[in-house]
Amino acid sequence: MGLPKFLNIFSLDFHERNHRLPLHSDGGNRETLVPENVNVPRNGIGRSFWSLLGLLTWKKNDGGSRTEEEEKVYSWLYALAQSNKDLVYEYVRSTERGLSFREAAQRLKDAGPNIPINFTFPKWWHLLWNSLFHPFNIILVVLSVMSYITSDEPNGSIMLVLVFISVSLRFYQEYSSSKAAMKLSEFVRCPIKVQRCAGRTVQTELVVQVDQCDVVPGDIIVFEPGDLFPGDVRLLTSKNLLVSQSSLTGEFGSTEKTADVREDASTPLLDLRNICFMGTSVVSGVGTGLVVSTGSKTYMSTIFSTTGKLQQPDDFERGIRHVSYVLIALILVVVTIIVLINYHASHDSSESIVFGISVASALTPQMLPLIINASLAKGALAMASKRCIVKSLSAIRDMGSMDIICIDKTGTLTKNTAIMIDYLDCWGTPKEKLLNYAFLHAYFKTQQKHPLDDAIMAYAYANNFRFQPSKWSKIDEIPFDFTRRRVSVILEPKILDISWNTYFRGRVLITKGALEEVVKLCSFVEDDDGTNLSTFTVQDNERILNISEKLSSNGLRLLGVAIKRLETVNIPGMVYDEQIESNMIFLGLLSFFDPPKDSAKQALWQLAERGVKAKVLAGDTLSLAISICKEVGIRTTHVATGPELEILDTGTFHETVKRATVLAKLTPTQKLRVVQSLQTEGNHIVGFLGDGVNDSLALDAANVGISVDSGASIAKDLADIILLEKDLNVLVAGVDQGRVTFGNTMKYIRISVLANLGSIISILIATIFFKYEPLTPKQLLVQNFLYNLGQTVIPWDKMEDSYVKTPQRWSLRGLAMFTLWNGPVCSLCDLTTLLFLWLYYKSNSSTSSHFFHSAWFIEGLLMQTLIIHLIRTEKIPFVEEVASWPVTLSTLVISSIGIAIPYTPLGNVMQLMPVPVSYFGFLVVLFLGYFTVGQLVKRAYLLVFKTWF
């Protein structure tokens, strides 16, 4: 058999140079870990700058095909699985004796330590810079510095405090989650028994213990129950070898492995019987194996190499950045115009610059970081009351946008318990004799107790069967192993019961295990009335097969039961004799069920009502997954399995993932590809609920990673949200809270854009029209401070039910259209005030500037304060919908303060004066007109765009 060219290159990499597979970033979901072998700038400035530029071209892996690194690993392992042992030795340049100590040391130097994923932590100042490098923070810092330069210390201090709060919260979140992927290092902290050869003249084979990180390709390892495989291993010898692959598959069953087989290319990778993978463990049996891959070249390293990568901003973050860029440009233009106009009128450059800074500060949504974090923190507290711990605050917002939730089956849809359903003979009839022997088997079995044994005894007790195990004594037990896939016990009655059939008297062997294995042992079967024995025929086998297929299609797990009378001389003590388990009598089969949770169906229905579709991503059989999904109301019209997905082309893969509601027998990589496909090709916001190491990839890649408190360490570290109870109802509450959080955040953004933009345009028009500032810098800053202070209660506002029932996404186009439609209403109100002051009060010169400033100050503050009630709902404010009491109280307090300031000593300091009562009559008419026009525009907007937010 020839060795492919790329395999030659692959094998040489281990020995000739320190070559590592490049770590790809597709599907990554963390910006807190830096891979050692990625060229990272030495400071956070360059990294942030280039990441900002990358926003325009970044595209996430769509999951439609395997990466180049995965293809290399797949091809390498398949080539080894299909080769004989002699050729495998040649591939990895080893011998039957193993490596010499000198050769092993050289390979360790060339290939590096056997560490699955080698990450280094970014320095704290990198994280701090990333937290600071946000456009709004930069704007506020620059404005604060300029305020100090122009001796405006109060405003500069306020802006610095806001920056400090925002940066501190983000830095804390990133630093807390920066060690997630390092949990994989747990797999390297164990000793490994390795066969090495020593001696200059005569080579002597020695078995020595080395740390897993010192294992190299070409080493021969010796393993026994409880050992972890230190790398990807091609088996050389094996005896009764049973391996747990739950770290990769999530399923708690064991997999049979054997060295005496050559696989073909049609076998799924994790089903290769002569290959064992790094991180999996030996359940039973012994053997030896040749290490063929270590470190970053192993299957585990390849599939988990995406964890902890630099996260690209989500739609919301990118949208905020785009808005900030627009505001920066607008600030520069407006401030430049205003400064030039004021300088031309007064020829005082310092005063013009101070006013320009004040305008820039007013145009900046200063409270945005605080509002966002306050909304998220409030949501986290609300979810904590539902026994849900939020690790990443931004995940709450993403839950509001989530429209697909991918969930596993066991423990999420089901109770993760075994319940016995029925006991049937080969004719499909319940037989008490069958249950009797199954009960005795479960009662006396002592080795490797299984939940199914408890289910059998619970069924007997619950149905008032009295099988009296005290009348029996245990003689021996033949434990489970992978070859037999069954357990046998030998019992003897203490008192002979004449009511039993003669062939059941005396010592009896009871065997229980996999149905197909038990059937192979049987030579006899009872007739339909259970009185006589007959030879086991092909017809009997077909009848049992039909019964089992029908039960399996309903999601039931099956066990077969058989018995045999034993003579005393046939008992060989504790040594297993194959002849004992032969020529047995088939009694029947037992069926078991993992029942669905009572709350699952209701929770899935509620999620569907909220526009969140559920997809089941399971690691076990398709028939079982379909059965459970039917029970909880998930449609199973379109289903698929991992092996089926593996052979699809990219386009068909995406279409299959889009349509399928149940996907079974998935590997960790396939779960990741499904999530990426839904995100990129389907443009969905995806949540993933998982609790195993095998779920880590999908948890990391999902927009919202959800795990449970009882899950694996790495799963909990990579998750954004941890459930203290694995209950889908918690997700329903999380979705609602996420949408309230998102909605209140969008309220502030839209209100700020409208109010600030409208006010600045009005100030620009007034400045041009009157040739002097409509507000002094101090008045403008106080007005802006009071307005922003009033908006801090927005996170405590409520959202309409119709809004919570729909997934919410950031839309830059939607924000732009919203501003274009509603912005002119604000400016119209300000211009009406301007004309009223000019025509009615003749306030059109610098001599009446104090009155004009006072009137404009009050109107502007009231406008910015009341606008929230018009914008926050698509209904008629104060009539059909009333804001929450914190928002209403804030409106009253801030409005009262704004009206009262001109009448107080503070008003004198600010150069404000009392306004006549007639002006307040005008304001009442003005705001009635404003709400009327605003409501008409709102109705027209709803007719065109169908939605308000």
Side-chain angles (χ1 to χ4, degrees):
M1 173 180 177
L3 181 66
K5 180 179 179 181
F6 79 91
L7 289 182
N8 283 311
I9 298 174
F10 193 93
S11 61
L12 287 173
D13 283 342
F14 287 123
H15 318 298
E16 296 184 357
R17 62 184 183 274
N18 184 18
H19 173 75
R20 294 181 180 273
L21 295 177
L23 297 175
H24 49 284
S25 61
D26 48 300
N29 199 32
R30 292 288 179 278
E31 53 180 283
T32 53
L33 292 178
V34 184
E36 284 186 347
N37 54 334
V38 175
N39 185 18
V40 181
R42 294 188 178 272
N43 57 65
I45 299 176
R47 174 177 160 191
S48 297
F49 175 75
W50 290 111
S51 63
L52 260 180
L53 293 181
L55 290 178
L56 299 177
T57 58
W58 170 74
K59 187 179 187 299
K60 194 172 185 176
N61 189 298
D62 63 6
S65 58
R66 288 195 293 260
T67 64
E68 181 181 351
E69 294 81 10
E70 292 172 343
E71 288 292 353
K72 285 183 178 180
V73 171
Y74 272 62
S75 300
W76 172 243
L77 293 177
Y78 271 111
L80 295 170
Q82 298 173 58
S83 304
N84 58 42
K85 298 174 185 177
D86 292 336
L87 195 55
V88 171
Y89 283 122
E90 181 183 339
Y91 282 1
V92 295
R93 296 187 176 181
S94 185
T95 67
E96 295 179 356
R97 293 180 175 181
L99 299 175
S100 67
F101 287 91
R102 182 177 180 180
E103 175 66 16
Q106 183 61 44
R107 294 191 182 191
L108 181 63
K109 181 180 179 180
D110 293 340
N114 179 26
I115 299 175
I117 300 177
N118 197 12
F119 284 103
T120 182
F121 291 100
K123 302 299 183 181
W124 65 267
W125 54 82
H126 288 169
L127 297 177
L128 183 61
W129 175 260
N130 289 334
S131 302
L132 177 63
F133 200 84
H134 189 282
F136 283 144
N137 289 337
I138 300 301
I139 293 174
L140 292 178
V141 169
V142 171
L143 293 179
S144 175
V145 171
M146 295 179 67
S147 297
Y148 279 107
I149 292 175
T150 56
S151 301
D152 186 15
E153 289 85 0
N155 191 52
S157 300
I158 292 172
M159 287 185 280
L160 285 182
V161 168
L162 295 176
V163 171
F164 175 79
I165 294 174
S166 175
V167 171
S168 299
L169 286 173
R170 186 172 181 182
F171 174 75
Y172 173 76
Q173 293 172 24
E174 292 192 357
Y175 188 77
S176 298
S177 61
S178 65
K179 299 181 180 180
M182 291 301 292
K183 286 296 181 181
L184 286 176
S185 63
E186 295 174 358
F187 289 111
V188 303
R189 297 174 182 173
C190 61
I192 302 297
K193 290 186 287 294
V194 176
Q195 178 179 302
R196 297 272 170 85
C197 57
R200 295 184 177 180
T201 305
V202 179
Q203 293 286 308
T204 303
E205 298 172 4
L206 301 174
V207 176
V208 296
Q209 277 195 346
V210 300
D211 284 340
Q212 179 169 337
C213 60
D214 295 331
V215 174
V216 296
D219 267 331
I220 295 177
I221 63 169
V222 181
F223 51 82
E224 59 187 17
D227 288 346
L228 283 174
F229 287 100
D232 291 341
V233 173
R234 170 59 158 89
L235 293 177
L236 300 176
T237 64
S238 62
K239 182 179 180 181
N240 298 339
L241 181 57
L242 201 64
V243 174
S244 171
Q245 297 188 155
S246 61
S247 61
L248 299 178
T249 65
E251 300 305 315
F252 292 100
S254 301
T255 303
E256 172 188 346
K257 297 287 184 177
T258 179
D260 300 325
V261 67
R262 289 175 63 180
E263 295 285 5
D264 56 55
S266 63
T267 305
L269 184 69
L270 294 181
D271 292 340
L272 294 174
R273 290 170 292 171
N274 57 7
I275 298 291
C276 295
F277 302 91
M278 174 182 245
T280 61
S281 59
V282 180
V283 175
S284 63
V286 294
T288 61
L290 182 66
V291 178
V292 298
S293 303
T294 60
S296 61
K297 292 183 180 292
T298 60
Y299 173 72
M300 168 175 278
S301 298
T302 302
I303 65 174
F304 287 111
S305 62
T306 58
T307 58
K309 291 302 184 301
L310 305 180
Q311 179 190 17
Q312 299 293 341
D314 57 17
D315 290 346
F316 185 86
E317 284 290 332
R318 287 196 292 271
I320 291 295
R321 291 178 187 271
H322 291 154
V323 170
S324 67
Y325 299 149
V326 173
L327 286 179
I328 290 174
L330 188 60
I331 287 173
L332 293 175
V333 172
V334 172
V335 170
T336 301
I337 294 175
I338 290 177
V339 168
L340 290 176
I341 292 175
N342 284 338
Y343 178 73
H344 179 74
S346 63
H347 299 286
D348 187 346
S349 59
S350 60
E351 182 179 347
S352 300
I353 292 174
V354 170
F355 184 70
I357 294 174
S358 302
V359 172
S361 176
L363 186 57
T364 305
Q366 300 173 8
M367 292 292 180
L368 180 61
L370 184 61
I371 293 291
I372 291 176
N373 287 299
S375 296
L376 296 176
K378 178 179 176 294
L381 291 175
M383 293 183 68
S385 66
K386 304 289 186 181
R387 298 184 59 78
C388 178
I389 305 302
V390 178
K391 290 177 55 186
S392 173
L393 293 181
S394 61
I396 301 175
R397 182 180 63 234
D398 290 333
M399 284 195 76
S401 303
M402 181 176 69
D403 56 353
I404 285 184
I405 177 71
C406 297
I407 56 180
D408 59 358
K409 176 186 65 66
T410 304
T412 304
L413 299 180
T414 67
K415 296 180 179 179
N416 198 18
T417 59
I419 295 179
M420 182 172 165
I421 300 299
D422 215 339
Y423 50 100
L424 305 173
D425 64 8
C426 65
W427 303 91
T429 305
K431 288 293 175 64
E432 183 176 335
K433 185 188 300 179
L434 165 62
L435 182 59
N436 189 350
Y437 280 106
F439 174 87
L440 293 175
H441 185 284
Y443 185 89
F444 285 102
K445 174 188 171 187
T446 57
Q447 299 187 35
Q448 296 177 321
K449 274 289 188 180
H450 195 278
L452 297 182
D453 298 315
D454 297 330
I456 293 171
M457 292 190 289
Y459 184 90
Y461 289 134
N463 290 277
N464 297 317
F465 288 101
R466 298 292 181 262
F467 294 130
Q468 299 178 311
S470 60
K471 292 184 178 181
W472 293 82
S473 59
K474 179 180 175 181
I475 303 301
D476 201 353
E477 177 175 345
I478 306 173
F480 179 90
D481 65 66
F482 83 94
T483 304
R484 294 164 47 253
R485 297 172 63 196
R486 56 185 180 268
V487 181
S488 296
V489 294
I490 302 173
L491 306 180
E492 184 175 54
K494 296 177 180 179
I495 302 175
L496 186 61
D497 190 342
I498 61 173
S499 64
W500 288 45
N501 290 338
T502 55
Y503 56 83
F504 290 133
R505 293 179 184 175
R507 288 182 177 178
V508 62
L509 174 73
I510 310 173
T511 299
K512 173 166 62 67
L515 180 60
E516 59 271 25
E517 296 298 330
V518 172
V519 168
K520 293 177 183 178
L521 307 175
C522 298
S523 301
F524 305 96
V525 67
E526 289 186 330
D527 56 21
D528 55 355
D529 60 7
T531 57
N532 298 304
L533 292 179
S534 60
T535 302
F536 194 92
T537 65
V538 175
Q539 290 75 18
D540 293 325
N541 185 71
E542 291 179 353
R543 188 166 58 252
I544 295 171
L545 182 61
N546 291 334
I547 294 174
S548 65
E549 288 180 349
K550 181 178 180 181
L551 295 175
S552 297
S553 65
N554 291 325
L556 299 182
R557 181 173 180 178
L558 305 178
L559 291 179
V561 180
I563 62 173
K564 178 183 180 180
R565 179 183 175 184
L566 295 178
E567 301 293 341
T568 304
V569 294
N570 289 339
I571 306 301
M574 298 302 292
V575 181
Y576 172 64
D577 183 357
E578 294 182 0
Q579 296 302 315
I580 293 179
E581 294 178 330
S582 64
N583 297 320
M584 301 188 72
I585 304 167
F586 183 78
L587 287 185
L589 51 87
L590 311 173
S591 61
F592 302 86
F593 187 53
D594 185 4
K597 288 183 176 179
D598 298 332
S599 60
K601 187 171 185 177
Q602 178 185 4
L604 290 171
W605 180 261
Q606 291 179 336
L607 287 172
E609 284 185 326
R610 289 161 173 76
V612 181
K613 298 179 180 179
K615 289 182 180 287
V616 175
L617 275 57
D620 51 13
T621 62
L622 181 61
S623 60
L624 187 56
I626 290 176
S627 174
I628 294 298
C629 290
K630 288 180 178 179
E631 291 285 336
V632 298
I634 297 178
R635 292 183 178 180
T636 57
T637 307
H638 301 287
V639 299
T641 64
E644 292 172 352
L645 293 177
E646 204 64 35
I647 61 176
L648 300 178
D649 60 75
T650 302
T652 309
F653 175 88
H654 291 311
E655 184 62 26
T656 301
V657 169
K658 175 183 176 181
R659 301 178 62 188
T661 55
V662 182
L663 298 106
K665 293 192 71 66
L666 297 179
T667 65
T669 307
Q670 288 167 342
K671 290 183 179 182
L672 169 65
R673 292 175 60 199
V674 168
V675 170
Q676 291 176 334
S677 174
L678 293 171
Q679 290 173 322
T680 56
E681 297 301 311
N683 193 29
H684 295 290
I685 301 297
V686 181
F688 185 89
L689 173 58
D691 58 3
V693 176
N694 65 302
D695 296 320
S696 300
L697 288 175
L699 282 169
D700 197 36
N703 302 94
V704 186
I706 308 165
S707 189
V708 294
D709 189 44
S710 59
S713 296
I714 188 173
K716 291 189 290 186
D717 285 335
L718 291 175
D720 304 301
I721 295 174
I722 297 178
L723 308 182
L724 299 183
E725 296 178 4
K726 205 169 185 181
D727 188 348
L728 290 177
N729 284 300
V730 177
L731 296 184
V732 177
V735 168
D736 289 347
Q737 189 60 51
R739 291 176 184 176
V740 170
T741 300
F742 186 88
N744 284 332
T745 304
M746 290 306 301
K747 282 180 188 176
Y748 176 78
I749 293 174
R750 295 196 174 198
I751 290 168
S752 294
V753 171
L754 285 180
N756 292 354
L757 191 59
S759 296
I760 297 307
I761 291 176
S762 300
I763 289 176
L764 180 61
I765 294 174
T767 302
I768 296 174
F769 191 76
F770 286 112
K771 305 300 182 184
Y772 69 88
E773 302 164 351
L775 289 177
T776 66
K778 189 176 299 184
Q779 293 166 355
L780 184 59
L781 290 175
V782 170
Q783 184 192 71
N784 189 55
F785 173 76
L786 289 175
Y787 158 70
N788 282 309
L789 184 64
Q791 304 308 303
T792 57
V793 298
I794 287 180
W796 284 264
D797 196 17
K798 57 187 178 180
M799 295 298 301
E800 298 173 4
D801 292 340
S802 59
Y803 185 87
V804 176
K805 295 293 184 182
T806 308
Q808 304 299 327
R809 298 280 297 270
W810 170 275
S811 173
L812 188 61
R813 178 180 179 275
L815 178 62
M817 296 306 298
F818 188 90
T819 304
L820 290 176
W821 275 67
N822 294 277
V825 180
C826 297
S827 298
L828 178 63
C829 191
D830 287 338
L831 293 177
T832 302
T833 302
L834 179 66
L835 291 174
F836 181 77
L837 293 175
W838 180 34
L839 298 176
Y840 187 80
Y841 289 109
K842 310 299 182 182
S843 180
N844 56 358
S845 66
S846 59
T847 57
S848 58
S849 62
H850 288 332
F851 170 74
F852 182 89
H853 288 164
S854 302
W856 190 276
F857 176 86
I858 294 174
E859 185 272 338
L861 181 60
L862 292 180
M863 167 65 66
Q864 292 178 325
T865 304
L866 291 174
I867 191 175
I868 183 175
H869 296 276
L870 178 66
I871 300 302
R872 63 172 297 277
T873 176
E874 63 182 42
K875 299 179 181 178
I876 301 176
F878 305 114
V879 178
E880 296 179 328
E881 175 69 15
V882 180
S884 64
W885 71 264
V887 174
T888 303
L889 180 62
S890 172
T891 300
L892 293 175
V893 171
I894 298 300
S895 299
S896 300
I897 292 175
I899 293 173
I901 283 178
Y903 301 89
T904 64
L906 178 60
N908 293 329
V909 174
M910 295 175 58
Q911 297 180 332
L912 296 176
M913 59 177 289
V915 297
V917 177
S918 60
Y919 181 68
F920 291 103
F922 163 75
L923 290 181
V924 171
V925 176
L926 176 70
F927 289 125
L928 286 176
Y930 167 69
F931 277 95
T932 301
V933 175
Q935 195 64 27
L936 292 175
V937 173
K938 183 189 299 183
R939 292 302 175 194
Y941 183 89
L942 287 171
L943 287 174
V944 175
F945 298 100
K946 311 302 179 184
T947 181
W948 184 235
F949 277 138

